[in-house]
Amino acid sequence: QKEVEQNSGPLSVPEGAIASLNCTYSDRVSQSFFWYRQYSGKSPELIMSIYSNGDKEDGRFTAQLNKASQYVSLLIRDSQPSDSATYLCAVNYQAGTALIFGKGTTLSVSS
Amino acid sequence: DGGITQSPKYLFRKEGQNVTLSCEQNLNHDAMYWYRQDPGQGLRLIYYSQIVNDFQKGDIAEGYSVSREKKESFPLTVTSAQKNPTAFYLCASSILGANYGYTFGSGTRLTVV
């Protein structure tokens, strides 16, 4: 059974701080990795994707991938109260299959 | 604007009833997916389809059925065999290929009464 693991949190950070969200996955042959943000009662929205080892930056968001350690992370710089949400990590293990999601980490940013 | 539409937003099912959740997309995506989300849980895959008239079971397909007669539409039927159907149901679509993320609909919240 392929799995995606996330710390459920809540992760609490003050406004302006860096929030670090982590995700591990069970299969070394995984191809692509995604981070989704989900506000309470709403559907997930894609915020980052990463396919190669290293860092990928997009505005205040940085995704980091380490395939040898089977680890992917999301850093949110200058965290804002509007970033308070559940962040879902998703992994595509093989072309032709569907994404497998972790249970999500709840982030709370206090002003 | 292109998007993916789920209806209804809220649905109430009586014991023993079958109900159908609608999912329509105008993004010209080949692949469509159904996930279920329970409180405090991640998304669990019910069914997915990558081409018209073909679909595959996900991890929790028992008690559900789907059809894919048109590229734009992927309805989900929750049958009476699904013993615990109360959940948030999410439909998504994507371009084919491992490197494409999903676009989600706004979801249907199903409650058994």
Side-chain angles (χ1 to χ4, degrees):
Chain A
Q1 180 87 4
K2 293 178 171 54
E3 294 183 338
V4 177
E5 300 286 344
Q6 294 182 255
N7 187 325
S8 63
L11 173 65
S12 297
V13 301
E15 184 175 357
I18 296 175
S20 177
L21 303 156
N22 304 315
C23 173
T24 59
Y25 57 95
S26 61
D27 196 315
R28 286 186 176 274
V29 300
S30 302
Q31 295 193 351
S32 50
F33 309 84
F34 303 88
W35 283 100
Y36 287 82
R37 178 176 61 200
Q38 186 176 27
Y39 292 112
S40 181
K42 303 296 185 182
S43 60
E45 56 179 321
L46 179 66
I47 54 172
M48 288 289 288
S49 59
I50 187 166
Y51 318 117
S52 305
N53 278 329
D55 294 359
K56 179 182 178 182
E57 187 174 316
D58 183 1
R60 296 187 296 112
F61 299 100
T62 299
Q64 299 176 317
L65 176 59
N66 184 327
K67 288 191 175 183
S69 300
Q70 296 174 229
Y71 177 94
V72 58
S73 65
L74 179 71
L75 301 177
I76 306 174
R77 290 181 300 282
D78 188 23
S79 295
Q80 301 297 310
S82 58
D83 294 326
S84 298
T86 296
Y87 290 80
L88 300 167
C89 174
V91 177
N92 193 315
Y93 284 97
Q94 184 179 351
T97 63
L99 289 179
I100 297 175
F101 285 82
K103 293 184 178 181
T105 298
T106 299
L107 172 65
S108 177
V109 181
S110 56
S111 56
Chain B
D1 287 338
I4 182 166
T5 302
Q6 289 187 245
S7 62
K9 190 174 178 68
Y10 299 96
L11 185 58
F12 298 91
R13 192 195 93 165
K14 294 182 180 178
E15 296 283 350
Q17 266 187 342
N18 292 353
V19 292
T20 297
L21 284 59
S22 171
C23 180
E24 304 274 338
Q25 55 99 359
N26 61 3
L27 298 166
N28 199 32
H29 287 170
D30 286 301
M32 296 187 75
Y33 313 84
W34 275 105
Y35 286 87
R36 167 180 173 148
Q37 187 174 36
D38 294 279
Q41 300 295 311
L43 279 61
R44 292 186 291 164
L45 181 66
I46 305 173
Y47 271 99
Y48 67 103
S49 168
Q50 298 185 319
I51 193 171
V52 173
N53 293 322
D54 188 44
F55 44 82
Q56 287 75 44
K57 292 183 179 180
D59 299 321
I60 57 166
E62 185 176 351
Y64 300 97
S65 65
V66 293
S67 63
R68 186 88 187 274
E69 296 178 1
K70 299 186 301 181
K71 185 177 181 177
E72 300 79 17
S73 178
F74 191 40
L76 173 74
T77 296
V78 184
T79 75
S80 57
Q82 172 47 243
K83 297 306 179 189
N84 185 21
T86 295
F88 188 42
Y89 290 86
L90 288 158
C91 180
S93 69
S94 73
I95 299 170
L96 278 178
N99 289 351
Y100 296 98
Y102 296 172
T103 300
F104 281 89
S106 57
T108 293
R109 199 166 296 278
L110 174 63
T111 304
V112 174
V113 295

